[in-house]
C-alpha cells in the first residue's frame, strides 16, 4: 500500500513538474562539449618575468624556442606581436589558451608611440570578428579578441613611469588592463604596500581605467565578499614567478632559493600570485570575456557603424539625392534604439528619394508620347482621316 501511495505521489509530482529547471544543466553540457577560449596579453619591458609568470600561471612551457636578444640587438628592435596557443584540459573541461606577447616593448632608446602596434593588433582582432560576424557563415567564428592585458610595472622606481601612463591611457578603452607589480621579491613588505598605494593614486590621478571588479550581489555569502574586497585591495598584484621546484621545510614547492631563505610563489604571505591566478582563472575569467564583448567590442562596433553611416550620408549628399545615385540602399535601423541626428537625416533623405522618382517617370512618359511621332507631310493619312471615304 505504501509503495502504491509513493508511486501515485510521484505521478502527481511529475504532472506539476514542467522541466525547464534542467536548462542550466543543458547549457553546462553544451559549453563543456564546445570548450572555452581565452586570450591573454602580457606587456611590459624585458626582464620583468612575463614569460616565467605565464608559465607559472598555467603550468605550461610556452617559450621553449625563444631566442633572447643581446643589448645591441635590442637598440634597433621594434615591438613585435607573437602568439602562443595551447590547449589545456582539466577534469574534462577544455580551454584554448592564447598568450599574446609583446617582445621589444619599452626596450629601445626611443620609445615614442611604441604602444601603437599593440593597439593596432587589438583593433585588428576586433575588425576580424566584426567581419566574421557580418558575413554569411557565422557558425564557426573564432574569437581572437584580447580579453585581458597584464601590464607589468617595474619595481625599480617610485611609481608609474611616463611610458606606463601613456601605454595604459592608449589602451584602456580597448582592453581590460590588470596592472601587475613585477619581481615583488626585490621589495620588502613595507615597500610593496607603499608602492601599491602610490600606483593606485597615480592611476586615479591620470584618469586610467583599469579593469573594475564587479560588485558583489547582496545575497552572496560573507566569505565571498571578503575575498572580492581582498582582490580589489591587492591592485596592482605584487607577483613572483618561478618554474623551479625547491624544498622548504620538508615540502617541495615552487619558489626561488636565496642565500637568506626561500620565496614561495604560491604562499599568500610572500606575494599575490595565488590571488592573481584565482582572479584570472577561477572567479573572473568569464567576466573579463563579458566586459570585452559588451563594452570594448561594442564601442568598436558602434564606431564602425557610425563611420559607415557618415560615409553613406556624404555619398548621398555628393550625388544630390538623384535617382541615378547608385548608393541609395536602406540602412537597417535598430529596433527600439534612440534616433540620432544622422539616422533622422538618413530617413528624411530616404523619404525624399522615395517620393521624387514616382512623378518623374510619369511626366517623362507623357512627354515622350507627345513628341515620339512627329507629323511627316509625305506620309499618307490613315483611312479614318480620309475626307473622301465618308462619301464612298
Amino acid at each position: 500500500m505504501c509503495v502504491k501511495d509513493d508511486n501515485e505521489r510521484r505521478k502527481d509530482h511529475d504532472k506539476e513538474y514542467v522541466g525547464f529547471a534542467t536548462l542550466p544543466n543543458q547549457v553546462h553540457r553544451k559549453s563543456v562539449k564546445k570548450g572555452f577560449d581565452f586570450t591573454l596579453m602580457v606587456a611590459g619591458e624585458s626582464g620583468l618575468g612575463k614569460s616565467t609568470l605565464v608559465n607559472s600561471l598555467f603550468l605550461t612551457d610556452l617559450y621553449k624556442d625563444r631566442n633572447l636578444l643581446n643589448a645591441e640587438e635590442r637598440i634597433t628592435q621594434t615591438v613585435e606581436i607573437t602568439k602562443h596557443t595551447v590547449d589545456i584540459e582539466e577534469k574534462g573541461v577544455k580551454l584554448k589558451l592564447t598568450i599574446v606577447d609583446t617582445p621589444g616593448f619599452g626596450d629601445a632608446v626611443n620609445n615614442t608611440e611604441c604602444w601603437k602596434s599593440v593597439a593596432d593588433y587589438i583593433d585588428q582582432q576586433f575588425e576580424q570578428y566584426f567581419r566574421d560576424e557580418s558575413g554569411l557563415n557565422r557558425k564557426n567564428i573564432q574569437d581572437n579578441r584580447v580579453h585581458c592585458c597584464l601590464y607589468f610595472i617595474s619595481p625599480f622606481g617610485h611609481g608609474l613611469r611616463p611610458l606606463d601612463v601613456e601605454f595604459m591611457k592608449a589602451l584602456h578603452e580597448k582592453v581590460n588592463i590588470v596592472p601587475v607589480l613585477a619581481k615583488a621579491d626585490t621589495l620588502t613588505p613595507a615597500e610593496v604596500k607603499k608602492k601599491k598605494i602610490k600606483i593606485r593614486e597615480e592611476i586615479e590621478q591620470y584618469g586610467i581605467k583599469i579593469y573594475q571588479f564587479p560588485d558583489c550581489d547582496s545575497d552572496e555569502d560573507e566569505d565571498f565578499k571578503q575575498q572580492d574586497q581582498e582582490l580589489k585591495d591587492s591592485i596592482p598584484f605584487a607577483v613572483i614567478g618561478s618554474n623551479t621546484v625547491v624544498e622548504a621545510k620538508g615540502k617541495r614547492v615552487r619558489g626561488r632559493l636565496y642565500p637568506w631563505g626561500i620565496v614561495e610563489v604560491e604562499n599568500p604571505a610572500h606575494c599575490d600570485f595565488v590571488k592573481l591566478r584565482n582572479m584570472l582563472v577561477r572567479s573572473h575569467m568569464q567576466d573579463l570575456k563579458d566586459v570585452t564583448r559588451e563594452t570594448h567590442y561594442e564601442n568598436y562596433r558602434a564606431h564602425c557603424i557610425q563611420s559607415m553611416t557618415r560615409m553613406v550620408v556624404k555619398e548621398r549628399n555628393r550625388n544630390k539625392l538623384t535617382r541615378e545615385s547608385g548608393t541609395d540602399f536602406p540602412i537597417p535601423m535598430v529596433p527600439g534604439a534612440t534616433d540620432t541626428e544622422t539616422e533622422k537625416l538618413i530617413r528624411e533623405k530616404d523619404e525624399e528619394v522615395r517620393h521624387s522618382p514616382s512623378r518623374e517617370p510619369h511626366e517623362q512618359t507623357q512627354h515622350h508620347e507627345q513628341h515620339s511621332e512627329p507629323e511627316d507631310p509625305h506620309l499618307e493619312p490613315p483611312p479614318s482621316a480620309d475626307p473622301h471615304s465618308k462619301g464612298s
Side-chain angles (χ1 to χ4, degrees), residues 197-212:
I197 295 173
K198 176 71 172 175
I199 292 173
R200 283 199 295 264
E201 289 175 351
E202 291 181 337
I203 285 174
E204 186 175 354
Q205 174 187 345
Y206 293 113
I208 299 170
K209 301 173 187 175
I210 61 173
Y211 171 68
Q212 297 295 319

Side-chain angles (χ1 to χ4, degrees), residues 325-391:
S325 175
T327 60
D328 186 21
F329 55 87
I331 301 295
M333 303 300 294
V334 180
T338 57
D339 288 341
T340 62
E341 293 182 3
T342 307
E343 292 169 345
K344 286 181 179 178
L345 178 62
I346 290 174
R347 286 219 301 275
E348 291 172 2
K349 300 305 180 185
D350 280 341
E351 290 297 324
E352 293 177 15
V353 174
R354 196 175 294 114
H355 291 306
S356 58
S358 61
R359 294 190 301 269
E360 283 183 356
H362 182 63
E363 294 171 357
Q364 289 179 358
T365 305
Q366 290 180 345
H367 182 74
H368 181 67
E369 289 175 355
Q370 292 173 3
H371 299 281
S372 60
E373 295 184 1
E375 295 183 0
D376 190 349
H378 300 288
L379 289 174
E380 294 183 2
S384 59
D386 189 0
H388 301 289
S389 60
K390 207 169 187 180

Side-chain angles (χ1 to χ4, degrees), residues 48-57 60 63 66 183 240-244 254 256 273:
L48 292 181
K50 301 188 297 294
S51 309
T52 306
L53 182 69
V54 168
N55 289 337
S56 303
L57 280 171
T60 58
Y63 301 90
R66 186 177 59 157
K183 293 188 176 293
I240 303 167
S242 175
N243 298 319
T244 307
R254 280 192 301 154
R256 305 181 75 88
F273 174 84

Side-chain angles (χ1 to χ4, degrees), residues 47-58 150 152-153 155 180-189 192 196 236-244 246 254-258 260-277:
L48 292 181
K50 301 188 297 294
S51 309
T52 306
L53 182 69
V54 168
N55 289 337
S56 303
L57 280 171
F58 299 100
L150 292 182
F152 285 69
I153 300 169
V180 169
L181 183 59
K183 293 188 176 293
D185 49 337
T186 61
L187 303 170
T188 64
V192 168
K196 281 188 175 188
F237 294 97
V239 296
I240 303 167
S242 175
N243 298 319
T244 307
V246 296
R254 280 192 301 154
R256 305 181 75 88
L257 181 62
Y258 291 100
W260 43 264
I262 296 174
V263 177
E264 299 178 31
V265 171
E266 297 180 338
N267 189 339
H270 292 182
C271 68
D272 297 328
F273 174 84
V274 174
K275 293 178 182 177
L276 176 63
R277 184 181 63 189

Side-chain angles (χ1 to χ4, degrees), residues 3 31 36 53 73 100-101 133 147 154 172 181 221 258 265 276 287 298 301 327 340-341 362 369 383:
V3 175
S31 299
F36 301 88
L53 182 69
E73 291 171 330
V100 181
D101 203 352
E133 191 182 47
H147 301 120
S154 174
H172 66 175
L181 183 59
D221 57 5
Y258 291 100
V265 171
L276 176 63
D287 187 67
E298 281 302 314
R301 183 173 173 274
T327 60
T340 62
E341 293 182 3
H362 182 63
E369 289 175 355

Side-chain angles (χ1 to χ4, degrees), residues 34-252:
K34 184 180 178 182
F36 301 88
D37 49 55
F38 188 73
T39 301
L40 176 68
M41 174 180 280
V42 289
E45 66 180 36
S46 299
L48 292 181
K50 301 188 297 294
S51 309
T52 306
L53 182 69
V54 168
N55 289 337
S56 303
L57 280 171
F58 299 100
L59 299 178
T60 58
D61 189 4
L62 296 172
Y63 301 90
K64 297 176 184 175
D65 306 322
R66 186 177 59 157
N67 293 323
L68 296 177
L69 302 178
N70 57 38
E72 185 178 357
E73 291 171 330
R74 282 205 296 266
I75 291 176
T76 57
Q77 185 192 15
T78 56
V79 181
E80 299 177 7
I81 305 294
T82 59
K83 281 174 57 176
H84 304 273
T85 302
V86 60
D87 293 321
I88 307 174
E89 185 171 351
E90 183 181 68
K91 294 183 179 179
V93 178
K94 297 177 182 178
L95 173 68
K96 180 183 177 184
L97 174 68
T98 302
I99 303 296
V100 181
D101 203 352
T102 57
F105 175 81
D107 291 344
V109 175
N110 182 8
N111 290 311
T112 305
E113 293 191 344
C114 62
W115 57 85
K116 194 172 184 305
S117 58
V118 182
D120 290 343
Y121 176 83
I122 295 173
D123 284 339
Q124 287 168 10
Q125 306 313 307
F126 282 156
E127 180 185 358
Q128 185 61 46
Y129 192 87
F130 182 69
R131 288 177 181 274
D132 293 343
E133 191 182 47
S134 307
L136 294 176
N137 184 11
R138 304 195 304 171
K139 279 187 177 180
N140 300 314
I141 298 179
Q142 286 194 350
D143 186 5
N144 293 318
R145 296 171 294 184
V146 180
H147 301 120
C148 178
C149 174
L150 292 182
Y151 185 71
F152 285 69
I153 300 169
S154 174
F156 313 116
H158 299 288
L160 296 176
R161 299 172 303 162
L163 180 62
D164 302 330
V165 175
E166 292 299 325
F167 176 89
M168 288 192 278
K169 287 182 73 173
L171 269 73
H172 66 175
E173 298 284 359
K174 302 175 184 288
V175 68
N176 298 311
I177 297 177
V178 176
V180 169
L181 183 59
K183 293 188 176 293
D185 49 337
T186 61
L187 303 170
T188 64
E191 290 172 335
V192 168
K193 187 176 181 181
K194 185 178 178 182
K195 195 173 286 289
K196 281 188 175 188
I197 295 173
K198 176 71 172 175
I199 292 173
R200 283 199 295 264
E201 289 175 351
E202 291 181 337
I203 285 174
E204 186 175 354
Q205 174 187 345
Y206 293 113
I208 299 170
K209 301 173 187 175
I210 61 173
Y211 171 68
Q212 297 295 319
F213 294 99
D215 295 328
C216 292
D217 296 330
S218 57
D219 58 346
E220 297 286 357
D221 57 5
E222 292 301 321
D223 290 340
F224 185 82
K225 290 181 180 179
Q226 184 180 354
Q227 291 175 6
D228 188 71
Q229 190 58 44
E230 286 178 359
L231 284 178
K232 293 177 180 178
D233 295 339
S234 298
I235 295 290
F237 294 97
V239 296
I240 303 167
S242 175
N243 298 319
T244 307
V245 177
V246 296
E247 191 168 337
K249 298 178 182 178
K251 295 189 299 183
R252 293 176 62 81

